């Protein structure tokens, strides 16, 4: 007997994100509510729930991609609802922790159209808020109970190790030249992006399945899908860091070029041979911060040398690879539809 | 039939600390060796294993009280040796994480006779190093496996929550006045110290027993012993922060008074009635940093008002309470001797 898959109504990325947010937010607010009042205030600010002074706001915060992936990962293997929620809470807390500390390390003053936490509260308090979020993530997951909690916590901590590794590389890349023997190689860039972005997306998709003791090949396929999505996500972030609309991204125009950040489009452009690549190399080689005019010129040269197209192609091919992973193992079909809709959104957001 | 306890040779605190360090250090070095090279270098510096540039040093680092407590806690309940070691590694990593981040938050420039990590490497990298240590602690414990890993991780994460709470209070106390309705009350000080110091000592003593599934009353008694020791430890730290020999403590003379830090001896002195207490209140009330002469005068007034004796009495009574906890439940007698020797050392160190 073969089963015929009934066509289901199409899913919208916004609908999926909204549904998952509704599932997760009460538990996330409950967890954050247990913190000491001061880190609680700062954590709520970092999560987009309030202004720096504690005034509640609505509609703030990030897109909630990671929490949605955690819910969908659990649903894809038929895990209990609370397993997806606890996974989503842990992943969202770790993500907010990492944004808070990364902004300290990178000196980024803006985040999601507002001051970053260290600008709003000072460096020391922002470090403390990050630590509180980190500890809360681990505690939330560890207290979930069940026989597979240890494995789930080990997975979360392993993704934190990879986050740290990626952030360390990213910081070290800033010291390295654009050209010559010491320049950042594409493989190094990919490893950095895998750590900084892919590890947490892989963790998000697999945490619920690990709690639910899903078969290892299924967990592995979801993890690989997460890593591929991470690479796509990073490539799109890199595109937005150069060509994104500041009104949408909440970050300055050409910001990554002004800061001399090593990103996929620029590295791809420099790796291309041709007059635009050579002029770009000459512009960047002194290693001094670019002014607005030079940054605009650099953005044009990256595009002319094919860097913009290469990054977009990279994002699309990684998303295709992620979808292959999802189609290759038995997962709940409706959830796969929702995951696929989200992967499309990751590439097309604000481009 | 009654058993007669054979007298055992006396134990020395230095001998206990050395024995535990030998047990723990190989596993600690193995764990740190898995980090990305940059945070690994910074973590090794923070652990006292190398200079800032990576040159190995011997005999650096802290006293290793926490790792010793973790080993002894496990031995006290007859846990397997590796359970004590994994607990000790996790606790020592969390302790080093918290010192590294606390120095950033407090702006402390010196630690263990050297630059603090943020002075040596910069604030951002020190934050990253702390994050790496934190993630490594959780990962090490979570990967230990066994049916009680989840409970052990939840305990470690819970102590991190208490650490954050204590550090938040400690930072907030600095903003509060010395006298009047908004002054820090002794009970608030105790809660802060319980979080900042007691929680990790309690965690150290109980992590091995939780992994080994020791009976709850035994775990509870060891936890309470750890909290009492934490209060004693903090009171002694406070004494050293005012009267400690900078050549031994590695910190400036009267450092806590110069910084206006709310500590047990000062709060006890202010709570006493009498001319010295009133003069001390007048000296501190403006809330401006003290110069060296005023700090020396303040130290004399704290002593004259009984603050020094009160802190010492607090430390001794807390140690006595910790010993009561240890004697109140069935534990390996030789290990109890070693624990008791360590508790004495905690009070008498460098005084």
């Amino acid at each position: 007997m073969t089963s015929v898959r009934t066509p289901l109504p199409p899913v919208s990325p916004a609908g999926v994100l909204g549904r998952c947010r509704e599932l997760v937010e009460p538990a996330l607010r409950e967890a954050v509510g247990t913190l000491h009042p001061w880190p609680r205030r700062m954590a709520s600010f970092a999560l987009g729930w309030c202004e720096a002074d504690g005034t509640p706001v609505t509609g703030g915060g990030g897109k909630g991609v990671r929490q949605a992936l955690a819910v969908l990962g659990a649903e894809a293997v038929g895990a209990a609802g609370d397993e997806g929620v606890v996974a989503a809470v842990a992943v969202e807390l770790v993500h907010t922790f990492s944004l808070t500390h990364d902004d300290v390390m990178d000196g980024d003053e803006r985040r999601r159209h507002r001051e970053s936490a260290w600008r709003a509260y000072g460096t020391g308090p922002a470090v403390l808020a990050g630590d509180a979020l980190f500890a809360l993530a681990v505690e939330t997951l560890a207290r979930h109970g069940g026989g597979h909690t240890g494995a789930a916590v080990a997975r979360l901590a392993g993704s934190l190790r990879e986050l740290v590794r990626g952030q360390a590389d990213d910081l070290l890349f800033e010291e390295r030249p654009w050209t010559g023997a010491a320049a950042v190689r594409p493989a190094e860039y990919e490893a950095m992006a895998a750590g900084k972005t892919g590890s947490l997306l892989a963790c998000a998709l697999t945490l619920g399945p690990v709690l639910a003791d899903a078969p290892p090949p299924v967990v592995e396929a979801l993890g690989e899908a997460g890593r591929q999505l991470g690479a796509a996500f990073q490539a799109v972030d890199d595109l937005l860091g150069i060509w994104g609309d500041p009104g949408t991204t909440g970050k300055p125009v050409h910001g990554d070029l002004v800061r001399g950040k090593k990103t996929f489009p620029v590295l791809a452009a420099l790796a291309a041979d041709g007059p635009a690549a050579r002029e770009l190399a000459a512009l960047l080689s002194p290693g001094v911060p670019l002014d607005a005019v030079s940054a605009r010129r650099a953005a044009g040269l990256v595009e002319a040398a094919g860097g913009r197209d290469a990054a977009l192609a990279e994002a699309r091919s990684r998303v295709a690879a992620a979808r292959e992973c999802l189609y290759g193992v038995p997962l709940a079909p409706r959830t796969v539809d929702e995951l696929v809709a989200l992967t499309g959104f990751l590439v097309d957001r604000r481009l």
Side-chain angles (χ1 to χ4, degrees), chain A:
Chain A
M1 194 181 88
T2 57
S3 70
V4 176
R5 189 166 155 199
T6 315
L8 290 155
V11 293
S12 80
V16 175
L17 291 171
R19 177 176 78 77
C20 293
R21 183 185 297 278
E22 270 181 40
L23 278 173
V24 175
E25 191 164 315
L28 192 56
R29 284 188 183 267
E30 187 184 332
V32 171
T34 65
L35 291 176
H36 179 289
W38 193 28
R40 187 200 311 155
R41 161 82 59 88
M42 294 189 283
S44 299
F45 173 79
L47 282 156
W49 296 342
C50 68
E51 302 294 352
D53 66 1
T55 310
V57 294
T58 52
K63 299 170 290 298
V65 168
R66 287 161 191 80
Q67 65 186 358
L69 290 177
V71 168
L72 296 176
E75 290 178 347
V77 302
D82 67 330
E83 288 170 331
V85 169
V86 76
V89 169
V91 165
E92 201 65 19
L93 291 171
V94 165
H95 178 53
T96 311
F97 141 77
S98 97
L99 296 181
T100 304
H101 278 193
D102 283 3
D103 283 344
V104 169
M105 294 179 220
D106 298 338
D108 280 338
E109 304 191 351
R110 306 286 298 169
R111 164 74 60 190
R112 295 170 178 167
H113 307 279
R114 305 191 304 178
E115 288 182 303
S116 53
W118 71 269
R119 283 290 294 172
Y121 297 105
T123 295
V127 172
L128 184 69
D131 292 347
L133 288 161
F134 193 165
L136 186 60
V138 174
E139 190 178 7
T140 302
L141 189 58
R143 286 202 192 285
H144 177 67
H148 305 284
T149 301
V153 173
R155 187 165 283 257
L156 184 71
S159 89
L160 287 166
R161 163 202 292 277
E162 294 308 310
L163 272 175
V164 166
R165 179 179 288 273
Q167 175 68 5
D169 279 335
D170 203 19
L171 290 173
L172 291 173
F173 287 177
E174 294 192 9
E175 311 292 312
R176 288 173 53 186
W178 284 100
T179 53
V184 176
R185 296 186 305 276
E188 291 179 294
Y189 175 88
E190 278 179 33
M192 179 280 291
K196 227 181 141 165
T197 311
S199 64
L200 194 56
L201 297 195
C203 180
L205 274 174
T206 55
L207 219 45
V210 167
L211 284 174
D213 200 23
V218 170
V219 174
E220 183 45 46
L222 286 166
E224 182 57 22
R227 282 185 287 277
Q228 295 290 346
L229 280 183
F233 202 90
Q234 186 65 51
V236 174
D237 255 7
D238 285 355
L239 286 165
L240 292 169
I242 298 177
W243 293 283
D245 172 10
T248 311
T249 65
K251 294 183 177 176
V253 66
H254 300 145
D256 283 354
L257 285 170
V258 170
R259 289 181 43 201
K261 213 164 151 59
K262 294 345 182 249
T263 62
F264 190 98
V266 184
L267 294 175
L270 288 171
D273 210 9
R278 284 191 292 275
E279 189 183 339
L280 179 65
L283 188 62
L284 297 173
S285 285
V288 295
L290 301 183
D291 60 24
V293 173
S294 301
R296 183 178 312 163
R297 177 80 194 128
L301 290 167
V302 172
E303 188 158 5
R308 186 171 187 167
D309 287 343
L312 200 53
E314 164 81 0
R316 292 197 168 128
S317 109
R318 295 294 198 148
V319 161
R323 290 178 181 177
E324 286 303 308
C325 295
L326 297 174
Y327 290 133
V329 288
L331 297 170
R334 177 68 176 176
T335 310
V336 170
D337 288 347
E338 294 187 308
L339 282 167
V340 165
L342 265 195
T343 62
F345 166 76
L346 290 187
V347 174
D348 294 331
R349 64 195 163 113
R350 304 167 302 187
L351 279 181

